[in-house]
Amino acid sequence: MADTVEFAKMNGLGNKILVVDMRGRKDRVTPEAAIALAADQATNFDQIMAIHDPKLSGTDAYIDIVNCDGTRAQACGNGTRCVVQALSAETGRKAFTFQTLAGILNAQEHQDGTISVDMGKPVFQWDKIPLSEEFHDTSRIELQIGPIDNPVLHSPAVMSMGNPHAIFWVDRDPMTFELERFGPLLENHPMFPEKANITLAQVISPTEMVTRTWERGAGLTLACGSAACSAGVSGARTGRTERKVDIIVASSPNRGKLSIEWRADDHVIMTGPAEWEWSGNLDPVSGSFTRDPEPEVQAQ
């Protein structure tokens, strides 16, 4: 295969990530390559995190984020943790600063292997989320699915965490809702001119909630870091939770957990795991790939 780059198949709480090393190159992973990789069961992913040479002084890399439908994403918290783990294993460093479409992200790997990402400040202004209609209070907007007198979902909190999010509060396990049916309708609702991530959130206590997300450009996802941040912030903003909360991601393997803290300085810190699965080489133009041989297991 000509002109290939190294990549790793990883996940963050089940959020399927391809970390692609594009350093030293001027091109980008093409939409065609992303669609081809997403169509293959071996490389099926939610986001590609393409590591490019830094564009700004003081940063370690520029991260180009690509959804499985070939569109670009501004932010991906779970994917950022995967990038940190990959670069930490390569360099031995524990702290990194990345540039993304959503801005500058600082991240650090801890002794226990978990990784914290400073996801920046939440945005609540209706025209910056953005919404197509003006709402003075975006902690609860007029939007619903289902009958007018008995809606299935209604009155979401909306915000941007580098990308648009709508958080619908539910009173039972989010896995019991037909999010695969509602998700596409809400993602593409005229209220969201740049589409939106749709999350169902069940508050368990002031320090714990359960979430499930339909991800813009990716569909049903096992986990979404920026959605967990948005749910945590929205919980505190509406008085449902404290400013530090554990998010149980209902759709992730073993219902994994993220810690979200909305600090006093308005920054949102997300902490959670990342997992390496396997590595290989791929063509960023076509999406063709080869998989590295599995390490030999020594006989006992």
Side-chain angles (χ1 to χ4, degrees), residues 187-199:
E187 174 194 2
N188 295 284
H189 193 282
M191 181 66 73
F192 306 115
E194 295 182 8
K195 302 186 180 182
N197 297 273
I198 308 301
T199 294

Side-chain angles (χ1 to χ4, degrees), residues 39-198:
D40 193 302
Q41 185 174 358
T43 51
N44 178 257
F45 68 90
D46 296 311
Q47 276 79 36
I48 287 174
M49 307 293 289
I51 307 173
H52 289 260
D53 294 324
K55 297 181 179 182
L56 290 177
S57 61
T59 62
D60 296 297
Y62 179 87
I63 308 299
D64 186 31
I65 307 172
V66 189
N67 292 318
C68 59
D69 64 356
T71 59
R72 253 65 193 185
Q74 290 102 323
C76 178
N78 289 326
T80 301
R81 294 201 312 278
C82 291
V83 171
V84 170
Q85 187 187 85
L87 291 180
S88 180
E90 173 191 306
T91 66
R93 293 174 52 196
K94 297 298 183 183
F96 298 89
T97 300
F98 304 123
Q99 181 188 7
T100 70
L101 283 178
I104 303 299
L105 298 180
N106 293 298
Q108 182 172 4
E109 186 175 48
H110 304 293
Q111 286 294 112
D112 63 359
T114 61
I115 297 157
S116 291
V117 181
D118 183 341
M119 297 289 287
K121 299 179 179 181
V123 173
F124 304 126
Q125 298 96 314
W126 71 273
D127 56 336
K128 294 183 179 180
I129 293 172
L131 304 179
S132 59
E133 297 180 25
E134 181 175 358
F135 284 89
H136 175 68
D137 181 8
T138 54
S139 66
R140 178 187 171 96
I141 69 166
E142 297 171 14
L143 179 63
Q144 68 179 45
I145 287 287
I148 293 177
D149 58 347
N150 188 28
V152 178
L153 302 172
H154 66 90
S155 310
V158 294
M159 56 175 286
S160 173
M161 205 61 238
N163 44 14
H165 287 270
I167 309 298
F168 288 87
W169 306 106
V170 297
D171 58 4
R172 65 178 192 268
D173 191 329
M175 295 300 291
T176 64
F177 288 82
E178 295 180 291
L179 188 54
E180 66 277 7
R181 186 157 65 93
F182 305 136
L185 299 174
L186 291 166
E187 174 194 2
N188 295 284
H189 193 282
M191 181 66 73
F192 306 115
E194 295 182 8
K195 302 186 180 182
N197 297 273
I198 308 301

